[in-house]
Amino acid sequence: AYSANEFEIIAQVYEPPLQYAYLKRPYQLEPLAAAEMPTVSFLDRDGRVLPDDAPDEAVAFSVYEIRLRPDLRYQPHPAFALDAAGKPRYLEMTAADLGRIRSLADFPETASRPATAADFAYQIKRLVHPAVHSPIAELMKGYIVGLAEVGERLERDFSQRKEAAGWLDLRDYPLEGVEVVDEHRLRIRLKGKYPQFRFWLAM
């Protein structure tokens, strides 16, 4: 979203890790989907932790650790409804089945599930999916370790499968710079020092 009108809608759909505390002046960031403000550590080229006041030229990597709120959940939706075997109830619908669907209310069942660190990691990879055309993809490729390489793989695989049925499951594309630590924590590794990254976490 790059306008206030768009953001009014998008803010009703998902929560980024951080948000602005708009009543504070000057503007300050505060947690939203995150349980607390991310911690940042700096590493040299050998992976050794540096002090917070290390000179910029000594910092090879910045590591942001984000701990998500454990109460995050998806809005109830038919996509999360499962059958007795635990498989998505509506995944294999036929054209005839879909012909009877006019709105989400036409699905008899909905369900929800927790939003996890793996979901946030998936969304980072979506930035470089060729079908998404994210305006910040090129910038993020320059900072998030391995994101440019994932983008190249996706571009190649997407062009080969464009005419084929199916979709690219981004879980099959490891991203070196994003580590899912556990269900509620992820680490993002950036090249060098880039303090502006925290502001991207509010978008």
Side-chain angles (χ1 to χ4, degrees), residues 111-176:
S112 178
R113 74 163 176 82
T116 67
D119 296 319
F120 282 77
Y122 196 97
Q123 289 302 103
I124 291 170
K125 289 185 255 186
R126 283 192 77 243
L127 291 174
V128 294
H129 192 295
V132 173
H133 307 295
S134 169
I136 67 164
E138 289 305 313
L139 177 69
M140 290 296 110
K141 282 179 189 178
Y143 285 105
I144 298 175
V145 174
L147 191 61
E149 291 77 10
V150 169
E152 289 168 8
R153 281 191 60 207
L154 282 169
E155 185 78 46
R156 184 177 61 247
D157 293 354
F158 184 71
S159 64
Q160 290 172 357
R161 296 179 62 171
K162 210 168 189 178
E163 303 303 321
W167 57 288
L168 291 174
D169 187 345
L170 301 187
R171 292 171 296 186
D172 296 334
Y173 293 79
L175 176 52
E176 182 185 352

Side-chain angles (χ1 to χ4, degrees), residues 7 12 14 16 23 36 43 47 67 77-78 83 88 90 99 105 108 140 146 149 167 169 175 183-184 193 197:
F7 194 76
Q12 306 301 315
Y14 74 88
L23 298 180
E36 61 206 6
L43 308 176
R67 188 169 68 85
H77 192 280
D83 62 19
Y90 302 114
M140 290 296 110
E149 291 77 10
W167 57 288
D169 187 345
L175 176 52
E183 192 172 354
H184 303 297
K193 229 183 204 185
F197 185 69

Side-chain angles (χ1 to χ4, degrees), residues 173-187:
Y173 293 79
L175 176 52
E176 182 185 352
V178 177
E179 175 191 359
V180 176
V181 180
D182 58 36
E183 192 172 354
H184 303 297
R185 281 188 305 152
L186 74 157
R187 289 190 191 115

